[in-house]
Amino acid sequence: MKTVGFIGLGVMGHFMAGHLAQKLPEGSGKEFFAYDIDSAKARAFADAAGAAASAGVKISLATGLSGMAGCDIVFLSLPSSEAVREVILGKEGLALSLKKGSVVVDTSTTEMGVVKAAAAGLEAAGIGFIDSPVSGGELAAKNGTLSFMAGGRQDVFDAVKPYCQTMAASVVYMGATGSGQAAKAVNQMIVGAAFAVIAESFSMGVKSGLDPKALYEAIKGGWAGSKVLDVAAADMFSREFKPGGTVDIHWKDLGYALSLSKDTDSPVPVTALVHEVFKAARARGEGQKSQPAVVRLWEDLLKIEVK
């Protein structure tokens, strides 16, 4: 019986862990381990998930990384590459505490160098590793409809895929270690560029005298229509800019994409410019707001509001 653990119970992770605990695949044990460095988040997760967990599944809070030592599969949902490195390779990390034959699945967006180092450190300890970042944001995490893009050994992926599917609308194997993160970089490049061009185009439209809501209704059913347009329009019109994803996080992810472009000698001029747009939004103080808040840059320049 496989014992499952989840580390990182933040904006995305607490929803993901909740779905996993509630829908553990056949062959899983009856105890689910959860951990977050913030004990208040861990306790809130346990209180919320305990009542909703599958019949007979006990939610247990680990007091530290060593509390995951008995797990066969451990999922990570962490905010930075530095956190992933520490949790896996640190002096109390999973590479030292997990048993041989267990597997770590990193659903974070993680820099390629850290992915490679983590995979090597775990492999040396006889532990499998899958890099499987996710896309879809907070709403998809809440609804259990995330998109998983996975890299690593095929046999290890096959073993953990049913667990990923408890949180996902799609789980796609991309190839060798690092392939999941490469796919996520592509995803973030496309999404970031879309948020930026929506901000500048709608600002130009308002400056030209258009009603932005009428503009959205006019174009949403055509080729310009997308999930990104829907999210951006809702945020711009409400003025809430409430995260899910944030300007800060997307700026970080685009930085990872730029690093990968250097490693692969791939020209990415659009992404480089979009990275600067997000950097400027951070400098304006929008870092903790949702990505559509980049529109505030154009609103300042043009003395208008897209609302």
Side-chain angles (χ1 to χ4, degrees):
M1 302 295 284
K2 293 188 181 299
T3 303
V4 182
F6 200 105
I7 298 174
L9 304 169
V11 171
M12 301 279 286
H14 81 280
F15 287 123
M16 296 168 67
H19 284 292
L20 183 56
Q22 292 167 37
K23 298 179 276 189
L24 285 171
E26 186 177 349
S28 303
K30 291 301 183 182
E31 189 169 17
F32 181 89
F33 290 86
Y35 175 72
D36 194 285
I37 194 170
D38 184 336
S39 58
K41 287 182 180 178
R43 176 50 57 193
F45 167 76
D47 290 345
S54 305
V57 174
K58 176 185 177 184
I59 306 294
S60 294
L61 294 181
T63 56
L65 295 178
S66 60
M68 294 287 169
C71 291
D72 299 287
I73 303 172
V74 178
F75 283 83
L76 310 181
S77 178
L78 300 172
S80 68
S81 293
E82 293 75 17
V84 171
R85 186 192 300 274
E86 183 63 24
V87 165
I88 294 176
L89 300 175
K91 54 186 179 178
E92 297 182 3
L94 299 177
L96 296 176
S97 60
L98 292 181
K99 58 193 175 185
K100 288 184 178 181
S102 54
V103 180
V104 175
V105 183
D106 179 24
T107 71
S108 324
T109 301
T110 306
E111 196 165 15
M112 191 67 75
V114 174
V115 168
K116 300 288 189 181
L122 290 167
E123 183 179 354
I127 301 166
F129 178 73
I130 295 293
D131 63 289
S132 189
V134 297
S135 181
E138 182 182 5
L139 182 61
K142 182 177 181 179
N143 293 336
T145 56
L146 289 165
S147 297
F148 279 65
M149 47 206 89
R153 280 175 36 189
Q154 177 81 60
D155 60 323
V156 179
F157 167 76
D158 290 342
V160 301
K161 182 178 179 181
Y163 295 85
C164 298
Q165 288 174 321
T166 66
M167 304 170 265
S170 68
V171 181
V172 179
Y173 178 66
M174 303 304 302
T177 298
S179 298
Q181 294 298 341
K184 182 62 184 289
V186 170
N187 182 88
Q188 296 302 81
M189 291 164 70
I190 294 170
V191 172
F195 277 129
V197 77
I198 289 165
E200 73 174 13
S201 61
F202 268 72
S203 296
M204 184 185 73
V206 170
K207 188 68 173 178
S208 301
L210 297 178
D211 180 310
K213 290 187 178 180
L215 176 60
Y216 169 65
E217 292 297 328
I219 68 174
K220 70 178 184 179
W223 280 21
S226 68
K227 289 183 179 179
V228 178
L229 177 63
D230 295 342
V231 169
D235 268 11
M236 290 188 300
F237 300 160
S238 73
R239 313 303 298 174
E240 291 183 0
F241 301 112
K242 180 182 177 182
T246 66
V247 168
D248 279 343
I249 291 172
H250 214 105
W251 170 80
K252 167 187 70 71
D253 292 354
L254 291 172
Y256 294 167
L258 290 175
S259 293
L260 183 59
S261 77
K262 292 178 182 178
D263 293 343
T264 57
D265 198 24
S266 301
V268 290
V270 174
T271 299
L273 180 58
V274 173
H275 189 243
E276 291 299 305
V277 169
F278 277 79
K279 185 190 296 183
R282 294 178 75 238
R284 193 192 179 282
E286 312 295 344
Q288 291 302 304
K289 296 177 183 176
S290 64
Q291 297 98 316
V294 298
V295 75
R296 301 292 294 276
L297 298 171
W298 282 272
E299 291 178 336
D300 281 354
L301 290 169
L302 299 176
K303 304 296 187 282
I304 53 95
E305 280 193 333
V306 179
K307 65 176 183 178

